[in-house]
Amino acid sequence: MVSYQRKPVIVPKISTNFRCIQTALPVPESLPLLQKFERLEPQSMLGQPPLIWDRAEGFQVYDKWGNKWLDWSSGVLITNAGHAHPKIIRALQGQLDRRLVASYVFYHEKRAELAALLEDLTPERLNKVFLLS
């Protein structure tokens, strides 16, 4: 497993359209939170770069200390859509307004609609859909 050092290193400042590095890395102010993660989470979670995300938009992520990176992680559920896509946010808000945040454990109408849509998009021999969250 990759292990990242926790001693902040002064790095050259960068300011481009897509990246902005303004602090030492890891950010010195982030160390208490990183230590908290190390104390509370299993070792299998410790191979993550020591960057604390604060928000994300499109293909960029930001920390609260002025740094901005390209999101190279292809995170679960955002791989192709990017972060904070307006259409997805509207859909999520609409679902939250219905007061039904469902999982794959119980049947619901939207689950059937999604399964049918996915089945229509796949080759003929793939006629089953298995959804997980």
Side-chain angles (χ1 to χ4, degrees), residues 4-14 19-31 34 49-53 62-69 72:
Y4 295 92
Q5 73 173 10
R6 296 296 191 249
K7 181 180 177 187
V9 174
I10 295 174
V11 297
K13 291 189 177 190
I14 297 172
R19 294 186 310 144
C20 184
I21 307 300
Q22 299 297 309
T23 66
L25 295 176
V27 177
E29 293 85 355
S30 73
L31 295 177
L34 291 169
L51 308 172
I52 310 282
W53 291 11
Y62 303 78
D63 70 16
K64 62 182 180 181
W65 298 282
N67 299 309
K68 169 175 69 173
W69 297 269
W72 36 259

Side-chain angles (χ1 to χ4, degrees), residues 1 5 8 16 22 27 36-37 44 48 55 61 98 100-101 118 127:
M1 172 183 346
Q5 73 173 10
T16 70
Q22 299 297 309
V27 177
K36 185 182 239 182
F37 281 120
S44 62
Q48 301 167 20
R55 65 185 177 85
V61 292
R98 290 192 64 223
L100 175 65
V101 179
L118 292 172
N127 58 3

